[in-house]
Structures are given as C-alpha cells and as structure tokens.
Amino acid sequence: MAETTPLSPLSVNPFTLGVASGDPLPDSVVLWTRLAPRPYEPGNGLPADGALDVQWELASDESFRHFRRNGTVPAPAADNHTVHLDLRGLDPGRDYWYRFRTGRWISPTGHTRTAPAADARPQGMTFGLLSCQQYDEGYYTALAHLAQEDLDAVFFVGDYIYENAIDAQAGARHYTDAPLPPFFDHWTWTLTDYRLRYALGRSDPDLQAAHAAHPWYVTWDDHEVENNYAGDVSQNNDPVGTFRARRAAAYRAYWENMPLREAHRPVGADMLLHRRFHHGRLAQFDLLDTRQYRSDQAYGDGWQYPGPESEDPARTITGDAQERWLLDGLRTSTARWNVLAQQVAFCRRKNTTADRSRLSMDAWDGYPASRARVLAGAGRAGVENLVVLSGDVHVHYAMDIKEDFDDPASRTLGVEVVTTSVSSGFDGQEKPDDWTLLLAANPHMKFYDGRRGYVVVSLDEGRLQADYRTLSGVVTPGAPVITAARFVSEAGAPGFSPA
Ligand SMILES: [Fe+2]
C-alpha cells in the first residue's frame, strides 16, 4: 500500500483513534492517545522521523472550568506517534477529565480515576471485566454499554486484537459504508501489520467510548501475537528466531497502543507485563502474564486426556520468576480481597461426566502443577478471599475454586469469574451445545452462559458480587444489555451462590 505524502502541518484531524487512561495509582495515571490523521497508513500519514508536540490538559470537571494542570508531551514517530503520559502528583481516589490538542485539533475528552490511598479503607469498588474483541466477528456493542457503567476501573484480560486475515465479505461487519482497507486481508507478521490492527480496532466508536469512560488495566493473551503460542514456541513450531521476531513486533505494537508506563516498554521480544495494584486496603490486584513464560502445551495442545506430560511438576504457566513474585505478593498482602487478573480458565473443566475426561491443555488444566503451587502458596499466605478473573473461552462462567475438584465436598478456596467475549464467536447462544454436559461434569461450575457481554464485579468488606451482562447479539449493532445472572461470594466463606 503506497503511503501518501506526510501531512504538514496537520490539515486533517489526527485524533481518529480516541484517548485512553490506564494503570491508576493513588497519585498517578497514564494518559494515552495516538496521532493518526490517516490511521490505515503505516506511518499514520505523518512524518517518519522526529516527534510532534501534543498539549495535554487535566481538570477536575468535565467542562474543564476548574482548570488543574497542562503541559506538552511528545508523540514520537518511533512510537508510531503514540503518547504515553505518566502523570504524577495527583490526589488519591479522585475523578479527573483530560484531553489533548495539537495544531487546531482537540481530542475527545476522557474520564479517569486515581486509586484510593494505600492505607485507605474504601467502602467498596466496582470494576468491569472484559476480553476477546475479534473485530470481524461482531460489533463492540458490549463496550458501548460498559462505557455507561459507573466503574472505578476496567480489567481487560486478553485478545484485544486478533492476528487473523480479515475477509471483508465473510465477517459480521459489512463494509458497505467504509470499505475495509486492503491492509487487513493477511495475517499479522510485521510491526506495520500489528500497528494497523490496533488502528482498526481503535477506530471503533464503542471501543473509544469505553476507553474514554474508565481507566483500564490491561493484560494480553495469545491473539495479541498468535493463537495458542507458548513462550518462544509458535502454534505451528516456526523457527524460534522467526517467531521471536514476530513476537517482538507484536509486543512493541501492544505497548505503543496501550496506556502502559515506560517501565513496560519491550526490549526486543521481551516485555514485562505482570504487575500489582491496590484499591486501598480493600483489594490487591495481580495482573498476570500466562503466555510469555509458559511451557509449551502438553500433548500437542487442544483438549487431551491428562497424563505424565501435562502433570509434570517442572511445567509452568507463569514461569518461575513470576510465580515467586506472585506468591511473595500474596504473602505480604494485607488486602481484604486478593484478585488475580489473568487470561485462561483457572478451575478444572471436564467435558464429560466420566471419571476420566479430556481437559484444555491451553488453560491451567494443562499446567496443574502451577495451579497447585499457586493455591498452596495462597493457603500458606493465609489468603482467605482469593478471586481469579479470566477470559479466553468466549462464554461466561461462575466457578468455585475447589481444594479437590473431584470432591464437591472439599473446601472452596476462592471463586473464579470468567467473562465471555466482547465480540469473538459472533452472537453465541445462551445455552451452547455442551451447556448441560459441562454443568453436570463440573459441580463447581455454578453458571454458564454463551452469549456476548462482560462482567461487572463489586467488592466491599463483606462480599463480592458478579453481574453477568449479556447481549442478544453482536452481528447487528445496537443490542440492549441485560443482567443474565448475579452471583455473590461472602468474605471469609468463599463460594458462589445466586444473589
Ligand atoms: Fe479470544
């Protein structure tokens, strides 16, 4: 695709991909935007060298009457004209509004909120849980509804983009109004491919609204690089050097396009993404990366019978360093709730009622030694209110984390909230073909819904509540949202029951 002449000065609005905020701390938040007057060109339609200056404004009210602060931040060409402003010196637990300007152009306004002070005891908190937004499989209607929720933050647990070739004729979205640019008809391999894929997703008004409404804590799963990759091992066992080059391109584009701090900027094919946040003394959040350091899936991946290979204690889904970091963090936690925000299903899921059943080798079921070490570490740490947040499976589940998944009478160690997809899998259905079977085969599974949507989780000193939002469909835009189910788990007595 030929690049047109760079725009100089900015004669076209560069704020085509919206604004975002992320990783709020008590005194700091990251503000993000990307200058892209021509978002479907590799260089955004801007000069290939240097940096453009962007002015930022922060206020304590939406109309910017109560002016607080402003300044200038560069949008370097080397970062694909993205801005990552790590704003410090803010007040804890406060709402802020922000916007950017360059030339005569002004961005949409974003809203964000800092975390409470470290020693605060907030009454409660409410957050959204999201994953899996395959652009060509449906509209991001769920995100339009999420933008209207009153949330402290959003946790996005993977599959922000997909790496597939997009068939403009076959997908859920039809490009009659705006034909799909030709750059999306092949699989993502290069830095340019990944950058453009983020531009495509971020062009969506519902995704822009969801980012503008709330601060996001993001982590990735596989499709930000390639389906079911494991560490340095690609799905189809590409040469490691080839795959690491792809991973480096994917990680770089991910960092550029997410509201992440400089500390997470990748170095080659390595990027530190796991990190810890607090909501006062109410909750500790450990965002995990179960892709970058995992052992290759056992038995060639897919759904397989467990055996010596999958049960090898040397296997890991987190890598040793991240596992130590996680267990150290649980040991020193003083939070009421300890929340692991991560990618793939944590609880065991059998797909038959027989004693011996195939399990998903890509989820924690394929890494049972890792799961046992995390649960043992949480137990030693005296973590009484363990919560795992997951995505990946494109269905909603509410599950109890059992000491022994084969014994429904064994202790419940925590709860797992699995969110369905925003759009992956087209419309889905309330009760998929395996609905009856999975609920029968897994007594710790309290809820299963196969429609699109997201989850709203509320925490206070006494309990966790998970509201499972669903949509009738995403292949056509504009579906209303309903709360399909509401489950609660009491502090000190984990286990889901319907509210
Ligand atoms: Fe997905």
Side-chain angles (χ1 to χ4, degrees):
M1 183 174 181
E3 287 185 58
T4 51
T5 311
L7 301 161
S8 183
L10 288 164
S11 55
V12 174
N13 181 11
F15 295 111
T16 56
L17 303 178
V19 299
S21 71
D23 281 9
L25 296 168
D27 62 347
S28 169
V29 68
V30 180
L31 304 184
W32 177 96
T33 194
R34 173 171 162 185
L35 303 182
R38 293 179 186 142
Y40 303 139
E41 291 185 14
N44 297 311
L46 293 170
D49 299 309
L52 293 168
D53 277 344
V54 179
Q55 286 78 48
W56 57 269
E57 290 179 87
L58 185 80
S60 57
D61 66 304
E62 189 169 5
S63 50
F64 291 82
R65 274 194 297 271
H66 302 284
F67 169 77
R68 308 277 299 191
R69 288 169 64 181
N70 64 3
T72 300
V73 62
D79 292 343
N80 205 217
H81 305 101
T82 56
V83 166
H84 298 75
L85 175 63
D86 186 0
L87 210 48
R88 312 268 177 123
L90 304 180
D91 295 331
R94 288 284 297 273
D95 289 305
Y96 290 98
W97 284 262
Y98 62 94
R99 62 190 175 189
F100 300 95
R101 295 171 189 268
T102 190
R104 64 191 172 93
W105 304 103
I106 185 162
S107 77
T109 293
H111 164 259
T112 193
R113 185 176 290 170
T114 49
D119 59 354
R121 292 187 176 278
Q123 290 272 308
M125 85 172 290
T126 303
F127 60 85
L129 176 64
L130 291 175
S131 77
C132 296
Q133 35 193 40
Q134 185 157 350
Y135 186 85
D136 47 325
E137 294 198 341
Y139 288 88
Y140 294 166
T141 314
L143 299 177
H145 293 296
L146 178 108
Q148 301 300 316
E149 304 269 5
D150 183 11
L151 306 175
D152 291 294
V154 169
F155 287 84
F156 190 95
V157 292
D159 294 357
Y160 190 99
I161 59 160
Y162 283 70
E163 79 282 24
N164 61 298
I166 296 177
D167 182 342
Q169 309 309 316
R173 300 199 195 207
H174 300 292
Y175 302 93
T176 48
D177 306 336
L180 188 71
F183 232 109
F184 302 101
D185 63 359
H186 60 273
W187 293 72
T188 56
W189 286 95
T190 67
L191 179 58
T192 295
D193 292 337
Y194 285 106
R195 284 170 162 173
L196 288 166
R197 198 58 64 103
Y198 286 98
L200 182 66
R202 279 281 173 78
S203 71
D204 184 279
D206 295 337
L207 179 53
Q208 291 190 16
H211 273 296
H214 314 293
W216 287 34
Y217 296 100
V218 299
T219 186
W220 55 34
D221 192 20
D222 51 345
H223 288 285
E224 284 86 352
V225 181
E226 185 213 34
N227 182 50
N228 284 17
Y229 84 93
D232 282 342
V233 182
S234 79
Q235 186 174 32
N236 299 315
N237 294 302
D238 295 330
V240 167
T242 303
F243 182 66
R244 281 186 70 85
R246 186 182 190 184
R247 202 176 95 167
Y251 284 9
R252 181 168 169 183
Y254 184 82
W255 184 85
E256 288 174 350
N257 284 283
M258 293 296 139
L260 291 168
R261 289 189 169 81
E262 184 69 26
H264 301 287
R265 181 190 285 273
V267 177
D270 301 310
M271 178 167 155
L272 177 73
L273 191 59
H274 61 274
R275 58 207 193 280
R276 180 168 295 131
F277 296 94
H278 295 91
H279 195 82
R281 300 184 65 171
L282 183 64
Q284 173 167 304
F285 293 93
D286 287 305
L287 275 97
L288 305 186
D289 171 1
T290 64
R291 279 290 155 196
Q292 189 173 187
Y293 316 106
R294 66 159 68 192
S295 315
D296 194 16
Q297 291 89 351
Y299 299 113
D301 207 353
W303 284 71
Q304 311 290 350
Y305 290 107
E309 187 179 330
S310 63
E311 290 168 359
D312 182 348
R315 291 169 53 69
T316 176
I317 196 170
T318 58
D320 293 341
Q322 182 178 199
E323 182 178 301
R324 277 196 303 278
W325 166 88
L326 172 62
L327 297 184
D328 285 349
L330 293 177
R331 194 157 48 241
T332 54
S333 172
T334 56
R336 185 73 162 168
W337 299 90
N338 288 274
V339 184
L340 314 188
Q342 54 89 52
Q343 296 72 32
V344 290
F346 187 81
C347 285
R348 196 180 68 182
R349 286 175 303 144
K350 292 165 60 176
N351 65 357
T352 75
T353 52
D355 284 348
R356 198 159 174 273
S357 173
R358 292 176 190 267
L359 304 173
S360 170
M361 291 296 116
D362 189 59
W364 287 77
D365 274 341
Y367 302 81
S370 273
R371 181 168 58 201
R373 289 192 296 268
V374 168
L375 290 176
R380 282 195 305 275
V383 168
E384 62 178 11
N385 296 305
L386 179 68
V387 180
V388 178
L389 309 177
S390 318
D392 176 52
V393 285
H394 308 169
V395 297
H396 279 320
Y397 298 129
M399 294 193 280
D400 289 349
I401 302 170
K402 301 299 289 185
E403 185 170 42
D404 177 359
F405 287 105
D406 283 320
D407 178 6
S410 70
R411 278 201 309 150
T412 298
L413 305 178
V415 290
E416 179 176 14
V417 180
V418 182
T419 189
T420 189
S421 62
V422 169
S423 67
S424 308
F426 301 95
D427 287 345
Q429 50 187 321
E430 182 178 357
K431 296 180 178 179
D433 293 344
D434 62 356
W435 188 84
T436 304
L437 183 62
L438 250 63
L439 287 166
N442 301 286
H444 54 280
M445 184 182 285
K446 302 298 179 66
F447 176 65
Y448 174 9
D449 189 305
R451 291 172 288 192
R452 305 290 78 85
Y454 57 95
V455 188
V456 173
V457 179
S458 305
L459 298 172
D460 61 26
E461 286 288 318
R463 68 177 198 172
L464 173 151
Q465 176 178 308
D467 288 7
Y468 288 86
R469 307 274 204 250
T470 61
L471 309 174
S472 54
V474 294
V475 168
T476 53
V481 68
I482 62 162
T483 301
R486 171 173 292 166
F487 279 78
V488 296
S489 179
E490 304 295 330
F496 269 136
S497 53

